[in-house]
Amino acid sequence: PSSSKTALAASEDALSTSSVTRGRTSQPRNPSSALPRPREAPQSPGRAKQLSGSNMTAQQTPRAAISPALKQRASETRSAFANQDAAASKQAHDETIRDWEEDGHGEGDAAVEVYRRVDALQAGLCLAILLESAFGSSLERKKLVAIGLSLATAHALREWTTQTWYARHYYRERQREEWELENYAQGERAEMVGLWCYKGLTKPDAERCIDLLASYKKFFVDLMMTEELRMFAPPSDAGYRRITGALLVAMGCVLPLLLGGVLDHMYGSLNSFPRASCSHLVTCGSATSALAFTGAWRASTSRLPEQRHALEAAMLGAACYVVPRLLL
């Protein structure tokens, strides 16, 4: 009986070992494998992102593309959440996990970038509808386009200066936090302990966490910037983002106005289709349709109902058309 129990225990151990190592490269079992390994230099952009975690600054390499396996896992985990299926969520996590990387890491920044582009494009589209509604029947088309370009340029310059000033403010505050941590580390630790106690941690737990994290100076400074000051690092490609934002505002404003002018010139002379009605219909209709598309685009990025957000964006275009009519 004792030998059969020993054999049964050995078989169960082998079965559990095979289930744990399934899908991974087989390696010899080593008692020291459970110990933490020393940090190695990053070998690729993706690996560099894994080592840095959420500590992404302007000097670091951008995140590599998400692998197909993680994209599949992302779809399965979100489907499980939508269906409130905890078993399916557990299965999706257990089957495709590699190292500690999880789907969704870095996706917040990608979503913010989509939001920024959508906001810029919608600003231009709303501007086109406002101009067409207010001055479309009284100004020449080239003057209307010139006004739209001027306002789009002003909007782009405002965004440019705002982001530039924020970057200066962020790095100045970061230098101050680094200096304070260098000269009075105990005081900075006490501030973070008090903050985390306010958020619900007990003081002993908060002190243990802060004592550990403060040993990693750069990480701890990033943590103080986000937790204490609620400030996030400016993007590494800030110049490129500013240029694309300015172009999107200008494109959203000018294209509907030009389209309305072209079709107005082609078909506006028909008796059954007055010129003013043609320009209003084409410009405002195309801009409102584009607004609905951008609303659906943003909703798809956030995995929210696309029809609802498309309708809300279209209603924004309708409001931009009605308000000048009521005030002028």
Side-chain angles (χ1 to χ4, degrees):
S2 59
S3 61
S4 63
K5 292 181 179 179
T6 303
L8 179 59
S11 63
E12 290 177 351
D13 181 74
L15 180 60
S16 62
T17 302
S18 63
S19 63
V20 170
T21 59
R22 185 179 296 128
R24 303 180 182 176
T25 305
S26 59
Q27 297 178 352
R29 296 176 61 85
N30 192 335
S32 63
S33 61
L35 297 176
R37 293 177 293 179
R39 179 176 295 181
E40 300 175 354
Q43 302 298 325
S44 65
R47 184 60 179 166
K49 174 64 181 177
Q50 291 182 9
L51 290 175
S52 61
S54 60
N55 185 22
M56 191 69 176
T57 63
Q59 291 77 23
Q60 290 176 318
T61 306
R63 177 181 172 86
I66 301 176
S67 64
L70 286 179
K71 289 182 179 179
Q72 177 64 23
R73 179 177 179 229
S75 176
E76 293 176 355
T77 53
R78 293 185 181 104
S79 176
F81 171 75
N83 298 325
Q84 295 295 293
D85 190 344
S89 176
K90 181 178 182 300
Q91 181 180 1
H93 279 79
D94 292 342
E95 284 182 351
T96 58
I97 192 168
R98 296 292 183 272
D99 294 333
W100 59 271
E101 185 175 9
E102 182 180 355
D103 65 279
H105 290 169
E107 287 194 359
D109 186 64
V112 169
E113 175 63 13
V114 172
Y115 298 161
R116 186 193 63 82
R117 294 180 181 180
V118 169
D119 290 341
L121 187 55
Q122 287 184 342
L125 293 170
C126 290
L127 182 59
I129 298 175
L130 287 170
L131 289 175
E132 182 64 41
S133 176
F135 308 110
S137 59
S138 59
L139 291 180
E140 296 180 2
R141 186 61 43 172
K142 60 180 182 181
K143 293 183 179 179
L144 209 58
V145 172
I147 294 175
L149 279 176
S150 300
L151 293 176
T153 302
H155 179 275
L157 291 175
R158 188 197 68 83
E159 288 293 323
W160 189 293
T161 53
T162 298
Q163 295 177 20
T164 301
W165 294 339
Y166 173 79
R168 293 172 184 170
H169 179 48
Y170 174 86
Y171 288 115
R172 180 186 178 280
E173 290 299 313
R174 183 180 178 84
Q175 291 175 355
R176 180 179 63 83
E177 291 291 347
E178 290 176 346
W179 182 84
E180 290 179 350
L181 183 63
E182 187 72 24
N183 290 274
Y184 187 40
Q186 187 61 33
E188 294 301 307
R189 294 186 182 188
E191 288 182 358
M192 290 297 296
V193 169
L195 177 63
W196 282 11
C197 288
Y198 175 77
K199 290 187 174 183
L201 273 69
T202 62
K203 187 174 181 179
D205 288 344
E207 289 176 343
R208 283 194 295 267
C209 292
I210 295 302
D211 287 343
L212 175 62
L213 297 177
S215 61
Y216 300 89
K217 180 179 177 181
K218 185 175 181 299
F219 178 85
F220 191 64
V221 172
D222 288 336
L223 186 65
M224 288 191 295
M225 293 297 295
T226 56
E227 289 287 318
E228 182 180 345
L229 302 182
R230 304 301 299 165
M231 298 183 67
F232 300 89
S236 58
D237 55 347
Y240 169 76
R241 296 190 180 193
R242 293 165 185 169
I243 294 174
T244 56
L247 292 176
L248 286 171
V249 173
M251 182 178 67
C253 178
V254 171
L255 288 183
L257 292 174
L258 289 178
L259 183 61
V262 170
L263 295 183
D264 175 71
H265 179 73
M266 292 174 59
Y267 302 107
S269 60
L270 297 178
N271 293 330
S272 59
F273 206 22
R275 297 180 65 86
S277 299
C278 177
S279 61
H280 284 346
L281 177 63
V282 174
T283 301
C284 298
S286 61
T288 302
S289 299
L291 281 172
F293 171 78
T294 56
W297 179 22
R298 180 165 185 166
S300 65
T301 304
S302 303
R303 296 167 188 89
L304 297 172
E306 298 181 13
Q307 294 83 357
R308 174 182 177 182
H309 289 76
L311 180 60
E312 291 174 349
M315 292 174 62
L316 177 63
C320 290
Y321 181 82
V322 171
V323 170
R325 292 285 177 171
L326 296 177
L327 297 180
L328 298 177

